[in-house]
Amino acid sequence: MENLTTRGRATRLGVTALGLVLLLVGTLWGSDDDFPFGPFRMYSTSNPPNAPAPDTRVEGVNSTGVVIDLDQDATGIRRAEIEGQQDRYAADPELLAEVADAYAERHPDAAALVEVRIVIRWHGIHAGRPTGRHIDETVVRWQAPR
């Protein structure tokens, strides 16, 4: 087994120190987007024991009035992608037309969607346990032009 040269040892120590500095800076000031150097807050925080728990979903209404769950199977778009971009959808609901287009592409024979909405179901929690009650809140709505 050969020993590392002084230069090799210094290079490895420098790279290790740089990695540790990036990890520390990302942890203190980073966001989930800075992964793997940022904190993954999803697992590092929790809601208060009496705060409602959100469950986000996307649903559409077709031209016959039927409400359709626009999940990954229906559109090819993962729920996490919708949740991660929710602020963009709220700022520009027209972006939800892409969800309607994705649905139409996968279901060419289905009735067209006339509305797409992001709905948060707030599940009641008391003392850290579900109460069985919930409230639905539509946070973003797009309607097809008539």
Side-chain angles (χ1 to χ4, degrees), residues 2-71:
E2 295 181 29
N3 291 332
L4 279 175
T5 64
T6 303
R7 183 177 183 180
R9 215 173 293 125
T11 301
R12 286 186 181 193
L13 284 172
V15 169
T16 301
L18 177 63
L20 290 173
V21 167
L22 287 172
L23 200 58
L24 178 64
V25 169
T27 298
L28 296 176
W29 295 287
S31 68
D32 288 348
D33 294 335
D34 301 322
F35 183 80
F37 296 107
F40 201 46
R41 285 182 172 70
M42 179 174 161
Y43 296 111
S44 67
T45 62
S46 64
N47 292 340
N50 293 321
D55 181 19
T56 304
R57 71 179 185 274
V58 180
E59 58 187 31
V61 179
N62 70 18
S63 58
T64 65
V66 175
V67 176
I68 299 163
D69 185 20
L70 298 177
D71 59 8

Side-chain angles (χ1 to χ4, degrees), residues 58-100:
V58 180
E59 58 187 31
V61 179
N62 70 18
S63 58
T64 65
V66 175
V67 176
I68 299 163
D69 185 20
L70 298 177
D71 59 8
Q72 183 173 350
D73 292 335
T75 63
I77 302 170
R78 294 180 311 126
R79 184 176 83 168
E81 294 175 43
I82 299 289
E83 289 176 342
Q85 306 265 342
Q86 189 170 319
D87 290 339
R88 286 186 62 223
Y89 290 117
D92 185 8
E94 289 293 320
L95 294 172
L96 285 176
E98 295 173 359
V99 177

Side-chain angles (χ1 to χ4, degrees), residues 63-143:
S63 58
T64 65
V66 175
V67 176
I68 299 163
D69 185 20
L70 298 177
D71 59 8
Q72 183 173 350
D73 292 335
T75 63
I77 302 170
R78 294 180 311 126
R79 184 176 83 168
E81 294 175 43
I82 299 289
E83 289 176 342
Q85 306 265 342
Q86 189 170 319
D87 290 339
R88 286 186 62 223
Y89 290 117
D92 185 8
E94 289 293 320
L95 294 172
L96 285 176
E98 295 173 359
V99 177
D101 292 343
Y103 176 79
E105 192 173 302
R106 285 183 169 232
H107 306 276
D109 297 330
L113 295 177
V114 296
E115 183 177 347
V116 176
R117 53 192 177 218
I118 299 175
V119 179
I120 299 177
R121 175 164 285 179
W122 295 96
H123 293 276
I125 304 290
H126 179 72
R129 308 291 303 162
T131 64
R133 294 185 302 268
H134 66 268
I135 297 171
D136 286 345
E137 175 189 8
T138 300
V139 293
V140 183
R141 173 179 278 127
W142 167 82
Q143 292 184 312

